[in-house]
Amino acid sequence: MPRFFLAAATLATMLAATSIGAVTVVAQDSFPARPIRMINPLPAGSAVDVIARMVGEQLTSLWRQQVFVENRPGAGGALAAQAVANAPPDGYTLLVGAGTIFTILPAQQNKLTIDVNRDLVRSA
């Protein structure tokens, strides 16, 4: 039963985030002009991966542009966070789920190659 609640909470959070993004897309006619990458810090087949793929399908239909999920598991989410931080800040690379990247990861690993609170911010 706890897995169901975790999956439901994750889905609700992702849907809320995508509905906020949908409002922004209406105001910007040119976005997205190319495929969107959703970087998942968990392995394929996890609950977050399944939900991310479901959300990706819905966004593909809404935006009429391919949204695909790329799994980058490992290092407690640091690999996924680094991939997103190193991507151009143009909104075409998104980090999926895992709030632990912002809370637990910096506390566990002293020598991260990125500062998650500085490098993973929404640019206006």
Side-chain angles (χ1 to χ4, degrees), residues 98-114:
T100 57
I101 289 175
F102 298 98
T103 56
I104 296 173
L105 186 63
Q108 283 182 337
Q109 297 185 15
N110 294 333
K111 296 181 180 179
L112 288 174
T113 57
I114 61 168

Side-chain angles (χ1 to χ4, degrees), residues 34-56:
R34 58 186 164 89
I36 307 285
R37 290 174 39 202
M38 294 173 64
I39 308 288
N40 180 9
L42 300 171
S46 65
V48 174
D49 178 56
V50 172
I51 293 169
R53 291 178 191 281
M54 291 169 45
V55 170

Side-chain angles (χ1 to χ4, degrees), residues 6-99:
L6 176 62
T10 303
L11 178 60
T13 303
M14 291 178 81
L15 289 177
T18 57
S19 66
I20 292 168
V23 172
T24 305
V25 170
V26 172
Q28 300 173 358
D29 293 331
S30 62
F31 183 85
R34 58 186 164 89
I36 307 285
R37 290 174 39 202
M38 294 173 64
I39 308 288
N40 180 9
L42 300 171
S46 65
V48 174
D49 178 56
V50 172
I51 293 169
R53 291 178 191 281
M54 291 169 45
V55 170
E57 287 178 18
Q58 294 299 314
L59 290 176
T60 296
S61 298
L62 177 69
W63 289 340
R64 295 185 185 103
Q65 192 61 252
Q66 184 66 40
V67 177
F68 62 94
V69 177
E70 180 180 327
N71 295 337
R72 295 269 182 114
L79 298 177
Q82 185 172 6
V84 174
N86 291 338
D90 55 7
Y92 287 92
T93 305
L94 309 174
L95 182 61
V96 176

